[in-house]
Amino acid sequence: MEHAEANRMLSWKKSLGISGLVLQRPLPRRSFLRHSATALASLGGISCGSRCGKQPARGALEVQLPVRTQPIAIPIYPLPQPLLSDKEIRAVVQAAQPPTFLFAYPPGYVYHALRLWGKTAAFAKLPFANPAVRGRWGEIMFRMLTEDRIYQEFSPAGRVGHLLKPTPFGVMVHCNIDGGWGTGFNSTHPGKYLQVMADLDIASDFHLLVYDGKPHTIAEVVRDEARRLTFQDELEWLANGLGRYLEVPEWQNRFGEWVSFDRIADHLTNLQFGQGACAGGHIPYAMAALVAIQSQSDILSKPVLRQIEDRLRSYSKHLTARQRGDGGWDNKWADRTPQTERFLKATFRNVEDSDGLIVTGHQLEWMTICRPDLRPSDRVLKAAGLYLARWIPIIAAKIKFD
């Protein structure tokens, strides 16, 4: 039965003209182009183990966690003067447009693209290979994340699984670490879904169309993520997404363990430079987001807030000292930690200075949402922004037909 299902999946992918090679190699690179473009736009002030398992007796867990209706907005701190000319901005925007050759879209691609372009972008003039997307790009991408029927139609994993699944705690977002059919094409990280929804300013009472046909909302995703959180998870996206939707600073997970934003922050501040996904670039982003959230909602104790601020200053000092002459950073920023090396080798192949694009884009992204007194100087940010403006069009051209 398993072999038959695998053969059906392979046959379906071939019928769409896609393969594992096409979907697994170029998409991360294209995602980093959009990631870096997002950071560059922000700099200019343009807003654009398994978690499943046996569940304990619910007891106190039956009490619903309070969720705010509108997510907390993360402010952007642009440079005081424009960094790029209109011509340079157009070149970057052109390079970061969605690829047209895809028939199906993994959630990781959708996340990055929606954060840059938003859910109303139509791209009516782009010749998308999938005719159903033409003129409706943003609408389709967003509905993939909120409607099971659209996910089934447009996701490479849709024929063998679901992105959203009802649970006793709410609605679960199926991540790659959860295993099962479609692994590799599910949600990329725990909490990433909520971060993207918050970035899009989606209210928690927004209705989701899940496969069971019952009424569900974003609030149920918030509650499920909160109950599933353990300190074996990647906490970078959970800190951001939960911090912006949850109305309480502490709660119990599904094992009855008490979790708090103080504990999450303490965990993040004790990670080494370069540790975590994307060469360690998401750790400082999560910390900068927590500082921004704390300015609008009291989720952290004063000692832990100071701990985060001190750690962000350490990142800034470290990155200032290791910025290259051309304004970028590469894998040497974190003294070549093994995890960083493995990540870079698995992502880009034979593309000049590709690690510079990855690392610089991620570092500049957190700096754009970080309080100016905690981030590197404007001179450092300008140099990094100009580096991205030079390299995004070059690398985009090299991978255009990958």
Side-chain angles (χ1 to χ4, degrees), residues 73-358:
I74 302 294
I76 292 172
Y77 299 95
L79 292 171
Q81 299 297 326
L83 181 66
L84 304 176
S85 67
D86 289 346
K87 181 179 179 180
E88 291 170 321
I89 292 174
R90 281 195 295 271
V92 171
V93 168
Q94 181 72 27
Q97 287 187 111
T100 58
F101 62 86
L102 295 177
F103 282 84
Y105 306 89
Y109 159 88
V110 176
Y111 289 159
H112 286 92
L114 280 175
R115 291 185 70 223
L116 176 59
W117 295 108
K119 61 187 178 71
T120 60
F123 294 108
K125 295 182 179 180
L126 286 186
F128 290 106
N130 190 332
V133 176
R134 295 174 190 170
R136 305 172 60 205
W137 180 88
E139 174 200 344
I140 295 296
M141 296 302 106
F142 180 70
R143 290 176 65 190
M144 273 186 62
L145 302 182
T146 58
E147 299 179 30
D148 184 72
R149 181 181 65 82
I150 303 300
Y151 181 78
Q152 296 292 314
E153 182 176 353
F154 290 95
S155 168
R159 305 300 175 89
V160 292
H162 305 276
L163 179 64
L164 302 175
K165 301 181 177 182
T167 76
F169 303 111
V171 173
M172 171 187 174
V173 179
H174 192 168
C175 289
N176 289 332
I177 63 171
D178 296 319
W181 286 111
T183 296
F185 300 118
N186 296 311
S187 187
T188 47
H189 306 279
K192 181 70 174 180
Y193 182 98
L194 284 182
Q195 179 188 335
V196 173
M197 289 297 162
D199 286 342
L200 295 174
D201 195 32
I202 306 301
S204 64
D205 58 4
F206 184 89
H207 288 280
L208 303 173
L209 300 180
V210 184
Y211 66 85
D212 66 351
K214 297 179 180 179
H216 298 285
T217 64
I218 295 290
E220 293 176 66
V221 177
V222 178
R223 295 184 180 110
D224 186 84
E225 290 280 28
R227 297 302 194 190
R228 287 181 184 282
L229 186 151
T230 74
F231 287 87
Q232 284 71 50
D233 283 329
E234 296 175 297
L235 298 181
E236 299 94 299
W237 298 269
L238 289 164
N240 189 318
L242 291 177
R244 297 164 72 178
Y245 278 108
L246 269 184
E247 285 192 321
V248 291
E250 62 178 358
W251 65 95
Q252 283 181 288
N253 66 13
R254 68 192 189 278
F255 300 114
E257 177 187 17
W258 281 97
V259 177
S260 68
F261 288 109
D262 270 2
R263 287 192 64 192
I264 292 171
D266 181 69
H267 176 88
L268 294 172
T269 57
N270 283 288
L271 294 174
Q272 297 178 354
F273 292 144
Q275 197 169 345
C278 301
H282 292 284
I283 304 297
Y285 190 96
M287 292 191 292
L290 285 173
V291 172
I293 294 166
Q294 172 65 17
S295 69
Q296 303 173 64
S297 178
D298 194 19
I299 64 170
L300 299 168
S301 65
K302 290 183 179 179
V304 172
L305 176 61
R306 287 194 296 269
Q307 185 177 334
I308 299 174
E309 292 171 338
D310 289 344
R311 187 57 173 165
L312 285 170
R313 292 188 183 98
S314 296
Y315 267 89
S316 297
K317 181 179 179 181
H318 186 90
L319 286 160
T320 298
R322 284 163 174 76
Q323 189 173 34
R324 302 187 317 200
D326 62 1
W329 291 280
D330 54 27
N331 55 334
K332 297 184 183 65
W333 87 271
D335 300 321
R336 291 182 175 272
T337 61
Q339 189 169 5
T340 300
E341 285 291 287
R342 288 198 302 272
F343 168 76
L344 294 171
K345 288 178 180 178
T347 305
F348 278 84
R349 290 177 175 82
N350 302 319
V351 179
E352 184 180 359
D353 208 36
S354 53
D355 61 330
L357 177 69
I358 297 171

Side-chain angles (χ1 to χ4, degrees), residues 323-329 360 380-388 390:
Q323 189 173 34
R324 302 187 317 200
D326 62 1
W329 291 280
T360 306
V380 172
L381 271 67
K382 288 178 181 178
L386 291 172
Y387 167 86
L388 290 180
R390 288 192 301 271

